Amino acid sequence: MVAGVPDLVMCWQGRFIGIELKAGKNKQSDNQLAADLAIRMSGGMYRVCTGYEETVEFLTMIGVINVALDSRFKPRERSDELRDDRAITGGASDL
């Protein structure tokens, strides 16, 4: 793994999207801040998300997924949290 590269990366409709996942009050490292700037200056999108719900909200907001049409992205009970994480970290075909 290369220092600073976002945890989730994708290309959607010709645009690079990077999502950095943070837990709790963790902050971006200097390398992550540099990657954030480089991605945005190149016309890509970069977002720091703190969990499944925030990640799905961001991907829905930019049109990558449609929560209303895809039951995989419906809110689940807290006990399903691990499965939620796997849904987000799956391959592009899962989106």
Side-chain angles (χ1 to χ4, degrees):
M1 177 159 279
V2 177
V5 173
D7 296 311
L8 301 174
V9 295
M10 64 191 82
C11 184
W12 183 70
Q13 295 186 343
R15 193 163 189 190
F16 182 88
I17 302 168
I19 300 175
E20 181 62 36
L21 301 172
K22 292 292 180 192
K25 296 183 183 213
N26 289 345
K27 303 285 185 201
Q28 290 174 280
S29 69
D30 289 342
N31 287 332
Q32 291 167 336
L33 289 168
D36 180 343
L37 180 62
I39 290 167
R40 291 173 194 259
M41 300 234 0
S42 299
M45 295 178 161
Y46 185 98
R47 175 65 71 95
V48 177
C49 294
T50 57
Y52 174 79
E53 296 293 330
E54 190 175 341
T55 304
V56 169
E57 182 180 305
F58 172 65
L59 293 174
T60 301
M61 180 185 71
I62 63 174
V64 173
I65 61 175
N66 187 334
V67 174
L69 298 177
D70 194 331
S71 63
R72 292 177 298 172
F73 300 106
K74 298 277 189 232
R76 296 183 180 147
E77 296 299 319
R78 194 115 174 112
S79 62
D80 289 339
E81 194 168 323
L82 288 177
R83 274 183 266 166
D84 291 346
D85 291 341
R86 286 195 294 271
I88 285 296
T89 58
S93 64
D94 289 342
L95 298 177

